Amino acid sequence: MRQILRWLFDLLVRFARTLDLPLLGALLALMVIGLAVLYSAADHAMGLVVRQGAFFVAGLGVMWALSRVPPNQLRNWTPFVFGASLLPLLLVLLIGTGKHGRHWINLGVVYVQPAELLKLSLPMMVAWYLDRQSLPPRFRTVLVAGLLIAVPTGLILLQPDFGTAMLVATSGAFALYLAGLPWWWFGMAFGAVAAIAPVAWFWLLRPYQKDRILTFLNPESDPLGTGWNIIQSKIAIGAGGLTGKGWGQGSQSHLNYLPEHTTDFIFAVLSEEFGWMGVATVLALYLFVIGRCLWIASEARDGYSRLIAGALGLAFCVYVIVNGGMISGLLPVVGVPMPLLSYGGTSAVSLLAGLGVVMAVRAHRPVYAR
């Protein structure tokens, strides 16, 4: 028996040696909380929880596999991974399905959202390109990197999926920022977006997207229509108070006042049932994950590893901020899930895959003699 236990222990050590245990612990805690809140939000529908749990297991498997790949090998694979991730973006425009466009590909067993793949492959590609250039980036380098960001972002906008397009573009922009791009470049980009906003309003945005912006500015103008979602979300958040109503006791979700309560607005369910204490706990876990990624980036020994780990950590931060701002009325509703809380397989697997790349940076960091 002792030999069997020793063998199991050695197997576990070999399995986990490339995983960053502090980061893994925070992610597992978030997944457990996510499944618990999903169980309540879904009215104790165990099937939904089991499916999400299966996605988490698949994501952890991908994370472990990627953590074992040295960053120099990932760097060599990056152009092929990026090119392969663009093909489904073209395919979804032809055979995709969705409520407001073509966002998903039906594989029979599961639905796959190809745009989620770019949250990993795009920052990898931008980091790969910048690592081959002199830094801080010069004008030509910025233009090429901008083109790398613009192509997949444009394809996602054609679906149309503004929320995911924004997150994908941001993840690539973070790699540029970490490479030393001056702030005034981002100011110019913001000015350009502001300049084309009137054109986008009249010629590019669809009616439901305009409604979301108008609702953000004044949700009370149509409380029983377009403003319903955000009004009910804010009621749920406020009803939680300090300690919440208790697990499974949230009236907004269980009485079907709160829309999309298993996906985009699941953080409002957490707020109502666990109150500020639950929200603070989850935000602390998110902050730890982001901080750990940035620390790993700061310890990286090469430019590619530093850029990719830092960009993925900052992108994770944006996911949390956008969803939190969305459900609290501070940002327009753009359909961005809360990481590891909202139900969704493609999102969970792609997120854990990205964190597997971050773990690879940590696990395969060369150690130099002092």
Side-chain angles (χ1 to χ4, degrees):
M1 177 61 70
R2 183 178 299 176
Q3 291 179 341
I4 294 176
L5 292 175
R6 182 179 299 173
W7 178 79
L8 290 174
F9 178 77
D10 292 340
L11 181 64
L12 180 62
V13 169
R14 287 197 297 270
F15 177 84
R17 72 169 181 257
T18 57
L19 298 176
D20 185 75
L21 296 183
L23 181 55
L24 177 63
L27 294 174
L28 290 175
L30 285 169
M31 283 185 267
V32 170
I33 294 172
L35 292 176
V37 177
L38 179 62
Y39 179 73
S40 174
D43 289 326
H44 314 304
M46 200 62 194
L48 202 66
V49 177
V50 171
R51 285 197 294 274
Q52 184 70 354
F55 290 135
F56 284 158
V57 171
L60 288 170
V62 175
M63 183 180 72
W64 172 77
L66 287 174
S67 73
R68 298 179 64 84
V69 182
N72 62 338
Q73 187 64 57
L74 288 173
R75 181 169 51 235
N76 295 335
W77 292 350
T78 291
F80 305 101
V81 172
F82 179 69
S85 64
L86 290 178
L87 295 178
L89 281 184
L90 297 172
L91 186 62
V92 75
L93 296 175
L94 300 175
I95 64 171
T97 183
K99 183 178 180 181
H100 294 295
R102 299 178 180 272
H103 307 153
W104 305 84
I105 295 178
N106 185 0
L107 298 182
V109 180
V110 295
Y111 284 85
V112 174
Q113 188 176 8
E116 291 287 340
L117 304 176
L118 272 299
K119 291 180 181 179
L120 174 59
S121 66
L122 177 60
M124 288 177 65
M125 186 62 193
V126 176
W128 175 87
Y129 173 70
L130 293 175
D131 185 51
R132 302 166 69 90
Q133 310 299 319
S134 60
L135 300 179
R138 299 176 181 177
F139 181 77
R140 177 182 175 278
T141 302
V142 176
L143 290 183
V144 175
L147 182 62
L148 291 174
I149 296 171
V151 170
T153 301
L155 290 174
I156 296 171
L157 287 173
L158 289 176
Q159 297 181 5
D161 188 347
F162 177 79
T164 303
M166 177 190 66
L167 296 180
V168 167
T170 301
S171 66
F174 278 136
L176 272 169
Y177 168 70
L178 294 171
L181 186 67
W183 276 101
W184 61 267
W185 274 96
F186 297 98
M188 288 178 55
F190 180 80
V193 171
I196 66 172
V199 177
W201 180 265
F202 290 105
W203 301 100
L204 299 178
L205 295 183
R206 298 195 175 189
Y208 78 92
Q209 293 172 321
K210 296 180 180 180
D211 288 340
R212 286 178 173 180
I213 296 174
L214 295 173
T215 299
F216 162 68
L217 297 174
N218 185 17
E220 285 74 20
S221 62
D222 187 12
L224 299 180
T226 57
W228 176 267
N229 292 7
I230 189 59
I231 290 173
Q232 297 304 316
S233 177
K234 290 194 288 187
I235 290 174
I237 294 172
L242 180 63
T243 58
K245 294 182 176 180
W247 186 37
Q249 303 301 314
S251 58
Q252 294 301 111
S253 59
H254 291 288
L255 296 179
N256 291 324
Y257 287 107
L258 185 65
E260 307 294 340
H261 50 268
T262 61
T263 52
D264 295 346
F265 288 88
I266 196 169
F267 200 64
V269 178
L270 171 77
S271 302
E272 183 180 21
E273 297 189 353
F274 296 95
W276 170 245
M277 299 298 293
V279 169
T281 299
V282 171
L283 290 180
L285 289 170
Y286 282 141
L287 184 61
F288 179 84
V289 170
I290 297 163
R292 187 70 179 177
C293 290
L294 295 180
W295 180 82
I296 290 173
S298 70
E299 294 289 309
R301 302 293 190 182
D302 63 274
Y304 174 83
S305 298
R306 178 176 59 85
L307 293 176
I308 188 60
L312 291 173
L314 291 174
F316 188 96
C317 179
V318 172
Y319 306 157
V320 175
I321 291 175
V322 170
N323 183 272
M326 181 183 76
I327 67 160
S328 58
L330 299 176
L331 293 172
V333 176
V334 291
V336 173
M338 184 61 87
L340 302 180
L341 291 187
S342 298
Y343 176 78
T346 312
S347 174
V349 173
S350 63
L351 178 65
L352 292 171
L355 293 170
V357 172
V358 175
M359 291 184 181
V361 171
R362 171 65 177 163
H364 301 280
R365 180 172 62 105
V367 178
Y368 301 128
R370 294 182 180 274

